[in-house]
Amino acid sequence: LEISTPFLSSTMKISACLLFFLMVVVMASNAFMQPRPPIVVRKPISRVSAEAPAEGAEEDGETEAPAKEETSAGPAATDILNSPAFLMKKIDVLKQDITKAEDDLVEATKRYEEAKAEWGPDLDKLQKEFSNMRERISKRSSEGKSEATFAVAKELMRVLDNFDRAFGFVNAQTDEEVEIEATYKQAYDLLVSTLKELGVTQVETVGCEFSYEDHQAMMQQPSDEYEEGTVMAEMAKGWKFGDRLIRPALVTVSAG
């Protein structure tokens, strides 16, 4: 087998290059794998840092000394406050305050008695006048309210009379008329109930003895059912407000 010279030369060159590259790689790997010595950084030593602990120790000594002094001064102060001399002095001060308060009370009592002796009768007179005035105002207010109620009730008598006359003439036949009559009776009962709440009452008539104060006799008829002088029929209702007569009842009296 014959190999040409140019081919051999080129092959040798390539082999030499590969060998050189391998050597470089091996050397580089050895260099990275070898351990490096640690780097030590030294700090400069200063005299201030060395002297600082001593000064701090001195300062601590100085700060601790007052604390000891304070703790030692506490019991002494407590002993002074609890000493008999101090307590006796405090008792004397309290006695002086009590004496002064008693003197002030005596002086105030004396002034009160003097003012009472001078102005007492006038004050009693004013108190009585004030009480009388309050009673008069209350009485006038009550009387004014009573007069107003009496006047209103007297005016409403005409309304009640109209209701009574209507009920006497109306004779409901149909359901609608019965319903209307029931509505009017409901309004009438409500009005009478309101008057009773105000103190207005109806005068008793039938079966009662005739009274000239509450009744007005319209006629007299003989009767077997009622005795003589007894009201036997009512023609118009009478009304009273308390003891006051608003309107007498119109009645028929039995002649016996």
Side-chain angles (χ1 to χ4, degrees), residues 12-243:
M12 292 177 67
K13 290 180 180 179
I14 293 172
S15 298
C17 289
L18 290 173
L19 182 59
F20 177 78
F21 179 74
L22 289 173
M23 291 175 66
V24 172
V25 170
V26 171
M27 291 175 66
S29 62
N30 290 332
F32 281 103
M33 292 298 292
Q34 186 176 2
R36 296 181 180 180
I39 301 173
V40 179
V41 180
R42 297 182 178 179
K43 295 182 179 181
I45 299 174
S46 60
R47 298 179 62 184
V48 177
S49 60
E51 296 175 357
E55 294 178 357
E58 293 178 358
E59 292 178 357
D60 293 338
E62 292 177 358
T63 54
E64 290 178 358
K68 293 180 180 179
E69 293 178 359
E70 291 178 358
T71 54
S72 62
T78 305
D79 294 339
I80 293 173
L81 294 176
N82 294 328
S83 62
F86 180 80
L87 294 176
M88 291 299 297
K89 186 175 181 181
K90 190 173 182 179
I91 292 173
D92 293 338
V93 173
L94 292 175
K95 288 181 178 179
Q96 292 176 2
D97 294 339
I98 293 172
T99 303
K100 185 176 183 302
E102 291 176 351
D103 295 339
D104 294 340
L105 179 60
V106 171
E107 183 66 22
T109 305
K110 182 180 179 181
R111 292 180 181 178
Y112 169 76
E113 294 296 337
E114 292 177 354
K116 183 178 180 181
E118 182 178 0
W119 302 101
D122 295 335
L123 291 175
D124 293 338
K125 186 183 295 185
L126 289 175
Q127 184 67 27
K128 290 180 181 178
E129 290 181 359
F130 176 75
S131 300
N132 294 333
M133 182 179 64
R134 184 171 57 184
E135 291 178 0
R136 287 195 300 269
I137 292 174
S138 178
K139 185 177 179 180
R140 288 178 182 177
S141 177
S142 178
E143 291 176 353
K145 183 179 179 180
S146 299
E147 290 296 330
T149 303
F150 183 86
V152 171
K154 191 174 183 179
E155 293 297 325
L156 289 176
M157 294 298 102
R158 292 182 295 179
V159 179
L160 295 177
D161 290 341
N162 291 333
F163 272 105
D164 292 335
R165 282 192 290 267
F167 292 147
F169 287 103
V170 173
N171 185 14
Q173 299 293 334
T174 64
D175 294 339
E176 183 178 1
E177 291 176 351
V178 171
E179 184 177 357
I180 293 173
E181 184 181 9
T183 302
Y184 277 104
K185 284 184 178 180
Q186 185 178 3
Y188 176 83
D189 293 338
L190 180 61
L191 181 58
V192 172
S193 176
T194 302
L195 288 173
K196 287 182 179 180
E197 291 178 359
L198 294 175
V200 180
T201 57
Q202 186 176 343
V203 176
E204 297 181 358
T205 54
V206 178
C208 296
E209 185 179 358
F210 177 79
S211 172
Y212 288 97
E213 295 180 356
D214 299 333
H215 303 142
Q216 182 176 348
M218 302 301 295
M219 63 179 66
Q220 189 175 15
Q221 293 180 351
S223 175
D224 296 334
E225 183 178 0
Y226 297 99
E227 297 180 357
E228 183 180 1
T230 303
V231 177
M232 57 179 297
E234 181 184 79
M235 303 177 65
K237 294 180 180 180
W239 298 89
K240 296 177 68 176
F241 175 63
D243 296 334

